Amino acid sequence: MSSVHGTEVEYVVDLAGIFVFAVTGALVAVRKRFDVVGMAVLAEITALGGGVLRDLVIGAVPPAAFRDVGYTMVPLVATALTATWHPHLERIRRTVLVLDAAGLGLFSVAGAMKALTYGLGAPAAAALGVMTAIGGGILRDVLAREVPNVLHDRQLYIVPALIGAGTATGAYLLGARGYLVTLVTAALAFGVRLVALRLRWRMPRARGLEDRT
Amino acid sequence: MSSVHGTEVEYVVDLAGIFVFAVTGALVAVRKRFDVVGMAVLAEITALGGGVLRDLVIGAVPPAAFRDVGYTMVPLVATALTATWHPHLERIRRTVLVLDAAGLGLFSVAGAMKALTYGLGAPAAAALGVMTAIGGGILRDVLAREVPNVLHDRQLYIVPALIGAGTATGAYLLGARGYLVTLVTAALAFGVRLVALRLRWRMPRARGLEDRT
Amino acid sequence: MSSVHGTEVEYVVDLAGIFVFAVTGALVAVRKRFDVVGMAVLAEITALGGGVLRDLVIGAVPPAAFRDVGYTMVPLVATALTATWHPHLERIRRTVLVLDAAGLGLFSVAGAMKALTYGLGAPAAAALGVMTAIGGGILRDVLAREVPNVLHDRQLYIVPALIGAGTATGAYLLGARGYLVTLVTAALAFGVRLVALRLRWRMPRARGLEDRT
């Protein structure tokens, strides 16, 4: 497994992030009244889509999602749990949002790091970190025939991802690598997202569109 | 041509599958009142999209669809025929469904086989077989601004594809390769799909959603 | 930079095309009331999406869009300008259409040329030229939850792209390469698009659908 994952700890953390994203995909599928197979497909794409896009762009083929069966199994587990307990998961929607924010921080940092190890430049690595974090959710919303949430709901979702990916990239270029850097930068993105949720920060629209909401 | 296709027979069978998928794309375009160029684009993407995605994932670039002009020409022929005879094709919709089921079986098996020859593991190969079979149809529905049929219509479409891709992968790993294996596993997927259509088998939804339909 | 771009002139022309496409993406985002981050994402994807798809298909990874920060910065500038002056841009919509036609001609020719230098055959190169020119716009419309304009609006948009990509491919195969060829073939596509706009040429639909519009 060492050829795919850095360490066992990173692997487990990765799977945890995949689990949370898969649950958000499966919940959208329940709201759209998909059948259980449709739920599983949407859970897989939500959880793995961002990473697969990143891997295709950086030339890491086959993408990690197709090299380790754990990545594919976790969304199936998330689907089974969501199919059974979705009313309960809807009631703890705030908790799901918090866990999703943790996944956001983690994926943005891990995505940028992987791009850097494949030799991409700093701006591209930061962009790919964001793509890793938000790509699966965008695919989820497109398949559910929704305008992607992150584009119009004015919440700070992409900005925290950019902060995570950007600070991780900066630290990497300054020679600071390893666990602690990943932890701190992912926590920073996570924290900004939580504060933005709590204080209901909103992104502005184009000039003149504000008041007509 | 031998660098792209296994044999002439496989090539012709491949083109037949592409033709059928292209017709389903062109028919959706007619229903959406696309112009003939839009029909051609949708036919191409429906017929070739799943295979292109598979080839990008396994690192077979340029994808087969861009290496043989036959793959690109067949959807244009399908578009011309559909533009002329779409009322007749709508009347024989059941026949189109049966032919589509044959394409489903074929593509799921061929997709898994190709992934295996590129060195992917068994679970990834099975997943890529399914992606080959359903990817084009999902892209078709997204471009026509529909929720992808396979996610919500509760018919057994993905399950037969998984059966075809899974049994073909299993046979391959057991050393059984060649025509007969392809034929039997594709026929199995085809058969399951036909029986499911005939008997109106339906996939369940998440718990508690059944009765409100 | 010479490893990424042919020459400085080509680079500047490329950035101009990216700028125009980014503006069309940002304008759609304004109409859909996206926030400014959503505008930026849509501008980036509209401007760079077609080229990224082409580069993934021909195996040019990382795609050019991820190898030069200029490609990523231009859509951000376009977003800032559009966020501020979108009412003015809506008033000069005809001018935007003309500039978009210039981008269409340019991208179709540049896309085909790049595919040819990567060893793809003539039909694939022509198809990839078209994909370069229309891919970003299709992604833009899908993310804005619209049926892609080019598929149903019956305007000649894909046909001029095919003319540009096709003639450029033909000239390349005949040994005619360089500035003048690019200029003439891109101008041809541009001209056909402008004439089609001016004379309101329309593509036909499938047989029998014409009169019910």
Side-chain angles (χ1 to χ4, degrees):
Chain A
M1 299 249 248
S2 57
S3 66
V4 182
H5 326 295
T7 67
E8 288 302 311
V9 174
E10 280 177 35
Y11 183 52
V12 170
V13 172
D14 238 25
L15 292 184
I18 286 170
F19 180 80
V20 176
F21 278 22
V23 166
T24 73
L27 278 174
V28 168
V30 170
R31 284 174 215 143
K32 292 275 163 176
R33 301 181 63 77
F34 288 4
D35 61 49
V36 290
V37 176
M39 286 178 66
V41 171
L42 205 62
E44 295 279 1
I45 291 174
T46 305
L48 305 176
V52 168
L53 288 176
R54 175 205 58 210
D55 287 352
L56 291 180
V57 164
I58 65 178
V61 290
F66 291 90
R67 296 177 64 189
D68 185 302
V69 72
Y71 291 135
T72 323
M73 295 309 295
V74 164
L76 298 182
V77 174
T79 299
L81 295 175
T82 306
T84 315
W85 285 304
H86 60 95
H88 183 64
L89 287 167
E90 292 286 5
R91 276 195 299 274
I92 58 164
R93 200 183 285 204
R94 280 167 164 279
T95 308
V96 173
L97 269 180
V98 171
L99 293 174
D100 181 79
L104 179 75
L106 178 72
F107 277 37
S108 65
V109 170
M113 293 291 199
K114 183 161 185 183
L116 289 163
T117 61
Y118 272 76
L120 276 86
L128 285 164
V130 174
M131 185 192 283
T132 307
I134 72 171
I138 287 179
L139 291 173
R140 173 197 66 207
D141 294 346
V142 166
L143 289 173
R145 210 175 51 173
E146 301 285 337
V147 174
N149 247 322
V150 294
L151 299 182
H152 76 109
D153 79 352
R154 306 183 56 204
Q155 289 190 25
L156 272 72
Y157 194 88
I158 296 177
V159 170
L162 190 56
I163 290 171
T167 53
T169 300
Y172 184 93
L173 294 181
L174 294 171
R177 297 162 197 193
Y179 277 103
L180 200 64
V181 172
T182 302
L183 196 71
V184 169
T185 52
L188 181 64
F190 176 56
V192 172
R193 169 76 178 143
L194 286 190
V195 171
L197 272 174
R198 165 68 65 171
L199 302 184
R200 297 177 184 280
W201 284 346
R202 290 290 177 268
M203 294 302 300
R205 291 210 185 84
R207 197 170 65 157
L209 291 185
E210 289 310 321
D211 304 315
R212 291 180 241 156
T213 311
Chain B
M1 299 250 247
S2 58
S3 66
V4 181
H5 327 295
T7 67
E8 287 302 311
V9 174
E10 282 177 34
Y11 182 51
V12 170
V13 172
D14 238 25
L15 293 184
I18 286 170
F19 180 81
V20 176
F21 278 20
V23 166
T24 74
L27 278 174
V28 168
V30 170
R31 283 174 215 143
K32 291 277 165 177
R33 300 181 64 77
F34 288 5
D35 61 48
V36 290
V37 175
M39 286 178 66
V41 171
L42 205 62
E44 295 278 2
I45 291 174
T46 306
L48 305 175
V52 169
L53 288 176
R54 175 206 59 211
D55 286 353
L56 292 180
V57 164
I58 65 178
V61 289
F66 291 91
R67 295 176 65 189
D68 184 302
V69 72
Y71 291 135
T72 324
M73 294 309 295
V74 164
L76 298 182
V77 173
T79 299
L81 294 175
T82 306
T84 314
W85 287 302
H86 59 94
H88 182 65
L89 287 166
E90 292 286 6
R91 276 195 299 275
I92 59 164
R93 201 183 283 204
R94 279 167 165 278
T95 308
V96 174
L97 269 180
V98 171
L99 294 174
D100 181 79
L104 179 76
L106 178 72
F107 277 36
S108 64
V109 170
M113 292 292 198
K114 184 162 185 182
L116 288 164
T117 61
Y118 272 76
L120 276 87
L128 285 164
V130 174
M131 185 192 283
T132 306
I134 72 171
I138 288 179
L139 291 173
R140 174 197 65 207
D141 293 346
V142 165
L143 290 172
R145 209 175 52 173
E146 302 286 336
V147 175
N149 246 321
V150 294
L151 299 182
H152 76 110
D153 78 352
R154 306 182 58 204
Q155 289 190 27
L156 272 74
Y157 195 88
I158 297 177
V159 170
L162 190 56
I163 289 171
T167 53
T169 300
Y172 184 93
L173 295 181
L174 294 172
R177 298 163 197 190
Y179 275 103
L180 200 64
V181 172
T182 302
L183 196 70
V184 169
T185 52
L188 181 64
F190 176 55
V192 171
R193 168 76 178 142
L194 285 191
V195 170
L197 273 173
R198 164 69 65 170
L199 301 183
R200 298 178 183 281
W201 284 346
R202 290 289 177 268
M203 293 302 299
R205 291 209 186 83
R207 198 171 63 159
L209 291 184
E210 288 310 320
D211 304 314
R212 290 180 243 154
T213 311
Chain C
M1 299 249 246
S2 57
S3 68
V4 181
H5 326 294
T7 68
E8 288 302 311
V9 174
E10 281 178 34
Y11 182 52
V12 170
V13 173
D14 238 25
L15 293 184
I18 286 170
F19 180 81
V20 176
F21 278 20
V23 166
T24 74
L27 278 174
V28 168
V30 170
R31 284 174 213 144
K32 291 275 163 178
R33 301 182 61 79
F34 288 5
D35 62 48
V36 290
V37 175
M39 286 178 66
V41 171
L42 206 62
E44 295 278 1
I45 291 174
T46 306
L48 305 175
V52 168
L53 288 176
R54 174 204 60 211
D55 287 352
L56 292 180
V57 163
I58 65 177
V61 289
F66 291 90
R67 296 176 65 188
D68 185 301
V69 72
Y71 291 135
T72 324
M73 296 308 295
V74 165
L76 299 181
V77 174
T79 299
L81 294 175
T82 306
T84 315
W85 285 303
H86 60 94
H88 183 64
L89 287 167
E90 293 286 5
R91 276 195 299 275
I92 58 163
R93 199 183 285 204
R94 279 166 164 279
T95 308
V96 173
L97 269 181
V98 171
L99 294 174
D100 180 80
L104 179 75
L106 178 72
F107 277 36
S108 63
V109 170
M113 294 290 200
K114 184 161 185 184
L116 288 163
T117 61
Y118 272 76
L120 276 86
L128 285 164
V130 173
M131 186 193 281
T132 306
I134 73 171
I138 288 179
L139 291 173
R140 174 198 65 206
D141 294 345
V142 165
L143 289 172
R145 210 175 50 172
E146 301 286 335
V147 174
N149 247 321
V150 294
L151 299 183
H152 76 109
D153 78 352
R154 306 182 59 204
Q155 289 190 25
L156 272 72
Y157 194 88
I158 296 178
V159 169
L162 190 56
I163 289 171
T167 54
T169 300
Y172 184 94
L173 294 181
L174 294 171
R177 298 164 196 189
Y179 277 103
L180 200 64
V181 171
T182 303
L183 196 71
V184 169
T185 52
L188 181 64
F190 176 56
V192 171
R193 169 76 177 142
L194 286 191
V195 170
L197 272 174
R198 165 68 66 170
L199 301 183
R200 298 177 184 281
W201 283 347
R202 290 291 177 267
M203 293 302 299
R205 291 208 186 86
R207 198 171 63 158
L209 291 184
E210 288 310 320
D211 304 314
R212 292 181 241 155
T213 311

